[in-house]
Amino acid sequence: MRVLRPLLLCVLLASVAGASEREKNFVRALMLSEHPDDGTHRVYVKRQVVTTLRFEKAVDSSRTKMLGWEGRLEPLAVVRNKVILEPLHDLNDEEGIPLVVTLVDGTAVPFLLRPPAWEQQERPDQQVDVYKDREGYAAMHAALRRALQENGTLAEENQRYRKEETSEDHALAALLVAGAVAQTPFMIASRINGEDGDTKLKATVFRGKGKAAVVLTIKNVSMKQGWSMKSARLLSVSSGRESTVAVRATRPSIAPGESGVVAFVADKSAFIEDGKLTSVFLELYRQDGLRQAVVQLDPDLVAQ
């Protein structure tokens, strides 16, 4: 990991530090009877992510097999009703590893282990709960939980969109991402470049009247994988308290070989803690959950 630290800015490229503590444990429910015409079910796996398949009944380890896994995954682990998978490295786009899980009642369930397709906004599976009887209590409960989660997500998005329509910070971020800096109260405070294996960043930090901003120009130099922003966080350096940050991007996903711009605007209130100005960290996470960049913003940016 390469670290670049001027007075105002620190960019850490493709850092996994802190990502594992902050990522939610995503659980996906798979109802076998929902796919009567699809005999093989896909499971998305990735290096450094342990994937657990959880079944309603115990698994017969002697009849549970993977084909062609050697050198790609750790040996298969079966613990009662769970099958544990851990890739040694990321699978190539064209790779697929067949897996057949056989339960103690003789039921055989075929799977195909595949890498996540970022252009389709897929994420690696952390836990997949597999249900054979969709009318059973556990399956019904999982389906209800999934529906409630989806409804909650939609409600949060609608509320966020309503706030963004009237937010001054989001309006400023929209101007910055469009390159209309002259129409904003911001002045350039610092510039820095950085890169890792598949991403190049050009970061510009701005100071303004009671606000600070960061504009990132991101070039995806990967030959096969798209880039997109998963989330952004604004954290106090001293306590870790999280504040809101306005975000605007030129496009939702950056294709291989192309570039995009993401702008962030933070209000002065985010820099105030216990009545005093303090520094904050702006963290950017990409589509696979890795922390792509950290920008340290000092109080001088909003002191005027």
Side-chain angles (χ1 to χ4, degrees):
M1 178 178 64
R2 182 182 179 188
V3 179
L4 307 172
R5 187 186 295 273
L7 293 177
L8 299 176
L9 182 62
C10 172
V11 177
L12 309 180
L13 290 168
S15 168
V16 298
S20 59
E21 295 97 18
R22 297 188 178 101
E23 285 300 301
K24 295 180 180 179
N25 181 29
F26 293 101
V27 179
R28 177 164 67 93
L30 175 61
M31 312 293 181
L32 298 183
S33 55
E34 283 185 352
H35 309 279
D37 297 326
D38 183 6
T40 302
H41 309 280
R42 294 195 173 194
V43 174
Y44 300 103
V45 298
K46 180 176 175 58
R47 180 177 61 90
Q48 296 182 339
V49 176
V50 175
T51 299
T52 301
L53 305 181
R54 181 175 173 271
F55 298 84
E56 296 174 285
K57 296 183 179 180
V59 175
D60 185 343
S61 59
S62 65
R63 293 189 291 171
T64 295
K65 307 291 183 182
M66 282 191 299
L67 299 177
W69 61 272
E70 294 84 353
R72 302 181 188 180
L73 283 86
E74 294 284 359
L76 193 69
V78 174
V79 181
R80 295 187 297 277
N81 66 326
K82 302 176 184 68
V83 175
I84 301 172
L85 309 166
E86 183 177 358
L88 295 171
H89 59 76
D90 290 334
L91 302 182
N92 296 328
D93 290 344
E94 66 278 5
E95 283 187 290
I97 299 177
L99 164 68
V100 176
V101 177
T102 303
L103 307 182
V104 291
D105 65 359
T107 300
V109 185
F111 297 91
L112 184 66
L113 308 185
R114 293 280 295 144
W118 302 121
E119 65 274 9
Q120 298 177 17
Q121 300 299 305
E122 292 166 352
R123 62 168 62 97
D125 287 312
Q126 294 184 30
Q127 180 174 317
V128 180
D129 290 345
V130 183
Y131 299 101
K132 180 180 179 181
D133 180 11
R134 66 180 302 177
E135 302 300 331
Y137 172 80
M140 294 289 289
H141 181 267
L144 176 60
R145 182 178 58 189
R146 182 174 58 186
L148 290 173
Q149 289 174 343
E150 292 174 352
N151 184 67
T153 299
L154 291 174
E156 289 177 0
E157 289 181 352
N158 289 334
Q159 184 178 11
R160 176 169 57 85
Y161 290 145
R162 285 194 295 268
K163 289 181 178 179
E164 290 178 1
E165 288 178 354
T166 58
S167 166
E168 177 187 357
D169 290 350
H170 281 91
L172 291 172
L175 290 171
L176 289 173
V177 83
V181 180
Q183 299 180 39
T184 72
F186 294 114
M187 298 181 60
I188 295 177
S190 178
R191 284 193 176 100
I192 190 171
N193 298 336
E195 65 178 284
D196 66 358
D198 57 11
T199 310
K200 290 185 178 180
L201 292 182
K202 294 182 179 179
T204 305
V205 178
F206 295 87
R207 59 165 47 93
K209 296 180 180 180
K211 298 183 186 296
V214 177
V215 174
L216 289 177
T217 300
I218 302 166
K219 182 171 184 179
N220 180 11
V221 297
S222 171
M223 298 299 294
K224 59 182 181 179
Q225 180 171 295
W227 188 100
S228 62
M229 183 185 73
K230 182 175 183 178
S231 62
R233 295 157 53 93
L234 191 66
L235 306 171
S236 167
V237 171
S238 57
S239 69
R241 173 180 59 91
E242 186 170 355
S243 301
T244 58
V245 58
V247 185
R248 279 289 186 267
T250 53
R251 57 181 69 183
S253 179
I254 303 174
E258 296 186 1
S259 298
V261 179
V262 185
F264 308 86
V265 174
D267 186 75
K268 183 178 181 178
S269 59
F271 293 78
I272 299 176
E273 197 160 46
D274 296 329
K276 299 180 180 179
L277 287 173
T278 184
S279 297
V280 298
F281 282 139
L282 172 65
E283 296 184 338
L284 171 66
Y285 291 86
R286 68 188 193 187
Q287 72 282 344
D288 55 3
L290 297 185
R291 189 171 63 182
Q292 181 72 83
V294 176
V295 181
Q296 179 173 321
L297 304 175
D298 289 341
D300 294 346
L301 295 170
V302 296
Q304 57 180 320

